[in-house]
Amino acid sequence: MNDDKLKDEALDNLFKAILCLETIDECYKFFEDLCTVLELKSLSQRLQVAKMLSEHHVYSDIVKQTGASTATISRVNRSLNYGSDGYDIVFKRLALKNGKPKTEINNNYYDNFSYYYDDLTKNVNYKKRASYFNNIIERFNGNTSGTLLDLACGTGSISEEMARLGYDVIGTDISEGMLNVAMNKKFNSGLDIQYLKQDMRKLNMFGTIDNILCVLDSLNHLPNLDDIKQTFSRVSLFAEPNGLFIFDMNTIYKHREILSNNSYIYETNNVFCAWENYYNQDSENNQVDIVLNFFEYQEDGSFHRYIEEFSEWAYNVDDILEILENVGFMLLAMYDDDTFNPIHESSERIVFVARKVR
């Protein structure tokens, strides 16, 4: 917002008056006196549109639910992406006040993030990580030439490396943007990988799978234990008898002590990213809200700004083990973050290895 153009004493008095209101009933009385019914409905509609846009709903769904025109939706979208972050302030504070995590994962999730994901994770040695997972499969007598599902495969980096090691790889992800990047890699490499757009909670395969991976903290994007159980149940349904399920999860320690309320800056040749974490101390499952501000370099020297928002949750290890057992898996090992070392109090990521036994 350009304060010099908008700010004046009359508006200051209006905002001070609004800040004096203490209840919903007082707000109804004040705004009924201040505005026409049409003006009030227009304001509430814009807020509803902004909320749905922030949750990545498509325009057609927003039109259907709110009755807003596409022109209104476009104006609100510009404010969300290039405005003064007013909507963002309100939504964050409402979420904290209500103590409710964002539970919706939809088809447009991570689309902006997918475009820059590989640029921002160049520090990850995917070849080394794939070798590590292959070693686990060998250690527990898994089928090293069989089928492998890369659950929540993202941009396909692990899928590519596992395919190079000789596995028959299937990759699934909920994000169309992530899968588009993965498909481009597949076309360039020529590897025979099948990619499917699926929510991990509704996993649906054509047959059983020898080895199932879910790595790079993907399960931390599920907002509650019911979603974890639903995902594990689907994995169990499609796991080959005696097949392996290998997954990793960020720990409660990492959420509280490392991610917490910290911010990070990343800069590459293509983009500048400000990464902001907000730890919700009142949340049931150690929620960290993450806001990514992308500033893309333009030819004229300016920047184009994109915003991606999502949340991650961390769970008690005993709860995860209980769910694993209940859906038919037997725990084989837990390792500290891509090693074969035992976990400890300050482990930031745990690698779980389980076998389908019933």
Side-chain angles (χ1 to χ4, degrees):
M1 179 183 74
N2 190 326
D3 290 334
D4 292 336
K5 289 185 177 180
L6 185 61
K7 185 176 175 64
D8 62 31
E9 186 177 353
L11 274 176
D12 282 352
N13 289 333
L14 171 62
F15 296 144
K16 288 175 183 177
I18 292 171
L19 290 171
C20 288
L21 301 171
E22 295 181 353
T23 66
I24 294 291
D25 186 58
E26 287 182 357
C27 289
Y28 270 103
K29 291 177 179 177
F30 177 73
F31 282 99
E32 186 175 354
D33 288 343
L34 182 68
C35 304
T36 67
V37 172
L38 187 61
E39 287 170 338
L40 268 178
K41 287 188 175 296
S42 178
L43 289 172
S44 65
Q45 183 189 67
R46 291 183 189 181
L47 183 64
Q48 186 180 8
V49 168
K51 187 71 169 70
M52 293 186 72
L53 284 170
S54 73
E55 293 171 346
H56 309 286
H57 289 268
V58 296
Y59 273 35
S60 57
D61 289 343
I62 298 173
V63 170
K64 184 177 180 180
Q65 186 164 326
T66 68
S69 67
T70 55
T72 296
I73 297 171
S74 295
R75 282 196 297 271
V76 173
N77 193 42
R78 282 197 298 273
S79 296
L80 275 172
N81 288 316
Y82 311 114
S84 303
D85 297 329
Y87 285 120
D88 193 44
I89 292 169
V90 169
F91 294 150
K92 279 190 174 64
R93 290 180 183 170
L94 283 173
L96 289 172
K97 185 175 181 180
N98 295 332
K100 295 180 180 179
K102 301 173 186 175
T103 58
E104 189 157 354
I105 301 178
N106 60 58
N107 293 341
N108 294 325
Y109 221 52
Y110 311 128
D111 276 1
N112 289 331
F113 194 21
S114 65
Y115 188 74
Y116 306 111
Y117 184 83
D118 286 342
D119 247 3
L120 298 175
T121 58
K122 285 182 177 178
N123 61 312
V124 179
N125 188 332
Y126 289 103
K127 185 174 182 178
K128 183 178 180 180
R129 294 208 78 197
S131 177
Y132 170 72
F133 297 130
N134 183 59
N135 288 339
I136 291 177
I137 294 170
E138 289 178 340
R139 175 175 285 209
F140 292 100
N141 301 313
N143 187 346
T144 54
S145 60
T147 51
L148 183 142
L149 171 63
D150 186 5
L151 187 65
C153 64
T155 62
S157 296
I158 287 291
S159 297
E160 292 261 321
E161 296 300 336
M162 297 308 291
R164 289 188 176 96
L165 290 171
Y167 293 92
D168 182 7
V169 177
I170 303 169
T172 64
D173 202 278
I174 195 172
S175 168
E176 187 173 330
M178 292 285 190
L179 289 173
N180 285 338
V181 177
M183 287 296 293
N184 286 336
K185 291 180 182 177
K186 171 186 171 178
F187 292 139
N188 290 330
S189 68
L191 292 168
D192 187 16
I193 303 170
Q194 182 179 9
Y195 288 112
L196 301 171
K197 184 168 181 277
Q198 291 189 5
D199 184 332
M200 69 173 82
R201 297 166 296 186
K202 301 175 183 178
L203 180 67
N204 189 16
M205 294 285 101
F206 302 111
T208 54
I209 308 294
D210 296 307
N211 308 287
I212 299 175
L213 295 182
C214 189
V215 297
L216 292 171
D217 320 322
S218 297
L219 289 166
N220 290 102
H221 291 256
L222 296 177
N224 54 62
L225 287 171
D226 287 339
D227 283 336
I228 298 285
K229 183 177 181 180
Q230 188 175 347
T231 299
F232 283 10
S233 295
R234 299 304 292 180
V235 168
S236 179
L237 179 63
F238 294 105
E240 180 75 12
N242 296 314
L244 296 177
F245 179 29
I246 303 166
F247 61 95
D248 64 27
M249 298 185 78
N250 282 339
T251 62
I252 294 173
Y253 170 83
K254 183 174 182 179
H255 275 226
R256 288 178 178 170
E257 305 298 332
I258 307 301
L259 296 179
S260 190
N261 290 303
N262 291 317
S263 298
Y264 307 92
I265 297 296
Y266 300 90
E267 187 170 11
T268 73
N269 292 332
N270 300 316
V271 69
F272 179 92
C273 175
W275 182 308
E276 301 172 279
N277 296 330
Y278 301 91
Y279 180 66
N280 186 345
Q281 299 183 38
D282 299 323
S283 67
E284 182 179 355
N285 295 318
N286 304 283
Q287 178 181 342
V288 173
D289 296 318
I290 299 170
V291 181
L292 305 180
N293 291 274
F294 297 106
F295 298 88
E296 186 181 64
Y297 299 112
Q298 305 295 302
E299 290 183 359
D300 62 1
S302 64
F303 293 87
H304 194 161
R305 183 186 183 195
Y306 304 90
I307 298 175
E308 188 83 64
E309 297 181 343
F310 55 91
S311 298
E312 294 191 20
W313 294 263
Y315 300 98
N316 187 289
V317 171
D318 289 339
D319 291 332
I320 299 301
L321 298 183
E322 182 180 354
I323 294 173
L324 265 181
E325 182 179 353
N326 288 342
V327 300
F329 284 102
M330 178 179 69
L331 180 71
L332 300 177
M334 290 190 294
Y335 298 123
D336 178 46
D337 198 6
D338 292 359
T339 71
F340 290 105
N341 299 326
I343 63 173
H344 48 83
E345 288 185 356
S346 56
S347 290
E348 296 181 24
R349 178 191 287 134
I350 298 175
V351 177
F352 297 79
V353 185
R355 188 185 304 281
K356 172 68 180 293
V357 292
R358 59 176 172 80

